[in-house]
Amino acid sequence: MRLARPWPLGELVRDLREGRTTPEAASKRALARIAETETELHAWVERTAFLPGTGGPLGGVPLGVKDIIDLAGVPTRCGSALRADDAPATSDAPIVTAWRAAGAVPLGKTVTTEFAFFAPGPTRNPAAPGHTPGGSSSGSAAAVASGQVPLALGSQTAGSVIRPASYCGVAALVMTHGRYPVTGVTGLSPSLDSHGVFAATVADLAIAWPALSGEPAPVRPPRILVWSADALDVVEAPMRHAVTEAAKRLREAGATVSAFRDERLMAGLTDAHPVVMAYEAACERAAELAVAERLSAPLAQLLRTGAATSSDEYESARATIADGAVRLAEVFGSYDVVLGPAAPGAAPRGLEATGNPVLSRGWQALGLPVVALPGFTDPEGLPLGLQLVGRRGGEAGLLGHACWVERVLTGIS
């Protein structure tokens, strides 16, 4: 059975709009694909009864919802035994309400790692069996990569959307921090937690975003800074080659391409991010910290580290991030996007860990919108994703630029 078989959102939206299919038929297709693949993938926690969409641009598109996001009538278990007996949520999180208004139809909850941190869930990678799907939005990434649904919600505090998109070979958008409220989301770090969404391609994301926000994403070539991340010393040779090859093709296609040279800035932001994340997580998840012996080792360590972090250390890290935001805003005065590796390499073999989020930490600290771009593979045929980082609040422009990049790299006009 072919597990990696994404369901293009654009195709479904056209079929719904032109009457070639119905919301009921789309839901049945999704449930049939789940039934066909779920025994191997384990992407879902719970499915819900089908409720037809209420119109909107997406008009009945099946949607997966990460299990830290409240969905009315379903418990929010957060991948944790501590929440196993929780009552169902009484209302949708605002982000779910917004997607419903756009016409999306939630089919249920997708797997997350424990409280959206590092302890793996049961989900498998459709594109690379035996390799991690990433975390913490692993269920949503796998559900889209396997064609169970054409759209699924994630969240990112470090690299929880961009990394699984890269590993599973799909596209994803991390929204600007604060673009939509995180009310009804069980988060880790209020100054870092951001919403995300997965789809098969960037072109699909450029359909989903206007449906959600009302902002069109006009396709146009960008002015690009290429970030090698060499100073972090984690990028593997196949990923390095993918970035170099992408920059070459984009330059040949007419984009302005220059090197991003402020590696010290990104290294500083990368170091500041985990300080802020741990400190805020210890506050946000104080109830869980009180029973740390019942948590996985990675989450317990995060919370204990945060509890041991001084307010001076926290404020110093926040100051580093604030200074970095000012400096990056100056950079974006002359350029549109930063192109770089989405992960150190392809999905690591094994299911005991979720991979390294280090290449997302600095950008997430700044709260900038980011797109994961699929399309490259390593010598073994495993997916390699790139990331495009845009201006704060500039999701529409970023997606328009990313569509142009995708067209160049895939050769599709």
Side-chain angles (χ1 to χ4, degrees):
M1 181 195 307
R2 183 185 172 197
L3 295 177
R5 193 177 72 198
W7 183 0
L9 176 67
E11 173 189 290
L12 175 59
V13 168
R14 287 190 296 273
D15 287 347
L16 287 164
R17 185 184 301 133
E18 296 170 13
R20 288 189 293 272
T21 192
T22 65
E24 291 81 2
S27 178
K28 287 180 180 178
R29 171 175 168 174
L31 294 174
R33 181 62 175 164
I34 292 169
E36 179 186 16
T37 57
E38 184 61 6
T39 300
E40 295 180 66
L41 289 182
H42 307 289
W44 295 82
V45 177
E46 186 167 337
R47 267 91 74 196
T48 59
F50 169 71
L51 297 173
T54 56
L58 298 180
V61 168
L63 177 74
V65 179
K66 182 179 179 179
D67 195 25
I68 64 166
I69 304 170
D70 285 353
L71 180 62
V74 183
T76 305
R77 296 191 176 96
C78 303
S80 172
L82 297 181
R83 299 291 183 92
D85 299 322
D86 278 15
T90 57
S91 60
D92 288 335
I95 190 66
V96 174
T97 301
W99 282 108
R100 283 194 198 270
V105 180
L107 285 193
K109 306 297 283 291
T110 56
V111 170
T112 177
T113 58
E114 182 190 37
F115 288 103
F117 197 54
F118 282 162
T123 304
R124 303 300 191 255
N125 187 334
H131 296 246
T132 178
S136 61
S137 305
S138 52
S140 287
V144 168
S146 63
Q148 293 178 337
V149 288
L151 207 60
L153 305 188
S155 67
Q156 179 157 297
T157 306
S160 299
V161 169
I162 298 302
R163 185 168 84 263
S166 179
Y167 287 172
C168 293
V170 295
L173 168 68
V174 176
M175 301 174 199
T176 301
H177 177 261
R179 182 64 191 259
Y180 285 87
V182 291
T183 310
V185 179
T186 304
L188 278 176
S189 175
S191 72
L192 299 174
D193 296 338
S194 298
H195 289 294
V197 60
F198 296 87
T201 65
V202 174
D204 288 332
L205 294 175
I207 293 169
W209 179 252
L212 178 70
S213 68
E215 299 174 354
V219 178
R220 55 196 178 93
R223 299 167 297 172
I224 303 170
L225 281 174
V226 179
W227 177 54
S228 69
D230 285 347
L232 300 179
D233 196 28
V234 297
V235 181
E236 299 166 12
M239 180 65 82
R240 188 178 299 112
H241 173 76
V243 174
T244 301
E245 179 64 19
K248 174 178 174 289
R249 292 190 211 170
L250 296 170
R251 184 181 291 108
E252 291 172 348
T256 300
V257 180
S258 303
F260 181 91
R261 300 191 182 283
D262 203 340
E263 290 283 353
R264 290 181 61 190
L265 169 62
M266 291 312 302
L269 290 167
T270 301
D271 289 342
H273 174 278
V275 176
V276 171
M277 182 175 175
Y279 183 93
E280 293 186 357
C283 299
E284 194 78 354
R285 302 267 65 85
E288 288 75 26
L289 176 59
V291 290
E293 69 281 358
R294 297 177 61 189
L295 303 174
S296 66
L299 181 57
Q301 183 60 50
L302 173 75
L303 300 184
R304 287 169 177 148
T305 298
T309 300
S310 70
S311 58
D312 285 347
E313 291 171 309
Y314 172 68
E315 293 300 337
S316 176
R318 293 275 290 168
T320 296
I321 294 169
D323 177 65
V326 172
R327 292 166 64 183
L328 257 296
E330 295 172 356
V331 169
F332 276 115
S334 301
Y335 293 89
D336 300 307
V337 296
V338 175
L339 169 72
R349 183 176 296 280
L351 302 171
E352 297 77 24
T354 63
N356 189 345
V358 64
L359 297 177
S360 289
R361 287 191 184 275
W363 306 113
Q364 192 64 24
L366 297 170
L368 300 177
V370 184
V371 167
L373 238 156
F376 285 92
T377 57
D378 75 357
E380 296 180 18
L382 303 180
L384 295 173
L386 306 180
Q387 61 178 329
L388 280 178
V389 184
R391 295 186 177 95
R392 174 174 288 275
E395 285 89 343
L398 172 62
L399 283 166
H401 293 312
C403 281
W404 187 87
V405 170
E406 181 177 66
R407 291 178 183 183
V408 170
L409 297 182
T410 60
I412 299 175
S413 60

